[in-house]
Amino acid sequence: MLSYGLAARSALVLTQRAKLRASNFVACATVSSLSRSHLVVHDKVQKALRNQEPVVALESTIIADGMPYPQNIELAEDVENILRSKGVTPATVAILDGVCRVGLEMEEINDLAKAGGEGRTTKCTTRDIPVALATQSTGNGSHQWGATTVAST
């Protein structure tokens, strides 16, 4: 289990790296291989990138499958809050009903955290992204998630 201290140290290292490379993220913000219907970048993330402020992309597998509920939500909130306290915009990355999401709302993180235990997630490394993007909602009100690994984030 990841301790709060380790999460805080990891977030601090990521924060320092992000601040050093903030201008590089602007170039990464343009994704030409995905259509707009397959990619949604949260407004806060877009604003930070436009202003050349640091953004840290966070993998979502730890939320979906790496920790039990509700500790997974607590960890996600703690890491995002640590980043915000350092002036960094967190951008948790996941695929929701076939749409790559860069930056999630807390309601989405909560659903992702529960989805792992309900069998509504697929762990997505780079090779799994095309299949996850082709996966649509079942239409019964429950969302299908692709939880990204560090490699696919």
Side-chain angles (χ1 to χ4, degrees), residues 59-67 72-73 76 92 104 109 112-113:
E59 60 103 6
S60 53
T61 296
I62 188 117
I63 300 168
D65 298 317
M67 298 184 76
N72 51 3
I73 295 173
T92 301
L104 301 176
I109 290 175
L112 175 60

Side-chain angles (χ1 to χ4, degrees), residues 41-51 53-55 84 89-91 102-105:
V41 180
H42 194 284
D43 292 340
K44 291 179 184 178
V45 175
Q46 287 184 40
K47 180 181 176 191
L49 292 171
R50 248 191 327 272
N51 294 331
E53 297 169 353
V55 174
R84 284 187 199 98
T89 300
V102 180
L104 301 176
E105 296 288 343

Side-chain angles (χ1 to χ4, degrees), residues 3-141:
S3 70
Y4 177 76
L6 180 57
R9 285 191 298 276
S10 297
L12 183 58
V13 169
L14 291 172
T15 299
Q16 292 167 342
R17 288 180 186 166
K19 285 183 178 178
L20 291 174
R21 298 182 183 165
S23 62
N24 293 340
F25 286 112
V26 175
C28 297
T30 305
V31 180
S32 60
S33 62
L34 290 176
S35 72
R36 292 194 193 279
S37 64
H38 286 101
L39 177 67
V40 173
V41 180
H42 194 284
D43 292 340
K44 291 179 184 178
V45 175
Q46 287 184 40
K47 180 181 176 191
L49 292 171
R50 248 191 327 272
N51 294 331
Q52 296 189 358
E53 297 169 353
V55 174
V56 171
L58 300 168
E59 60 103 6
S60 53
T61 296
I62 188 117
I63 300 168
D65 298 317
M67 298 184 76
Y69 179 83
Q71 289 87 356
N72 51 3
I73 295 173
E74 293 167 3
L75 178 69
E77 287 178 339
D78 287 347
V79 170
E80 286 199 359
N81 287 334
I82 290 167
L83 289 170
R84 284 187 199 98
S85 75
K86 303 296 181 186
V88 177
T89 300
T92 301
V93 179
I95 299 170
L96 173 60
D97 295 330
V99 178
C100 182
R101 311 277 307 221
V102 180
L104 301 176
E105 296 288 343
M106 274 316 298
E107 301 84 41
E108 293 169 323
I109 290 175
N110 286 326
D111 187 53
L112 175 60
K114 293 175 185 175
E118 297 171 356
R120 296 186 289 118
T121 62
T122 301
K123 184 176 180 179
C124 292
T125 190
T126 52
R127 71 170 182 254
D128 305 309
I129 290 176
V131 174
L133 290 175
T135 303
Q136 300 297 313
S137 173
T138 58
N140 63 0

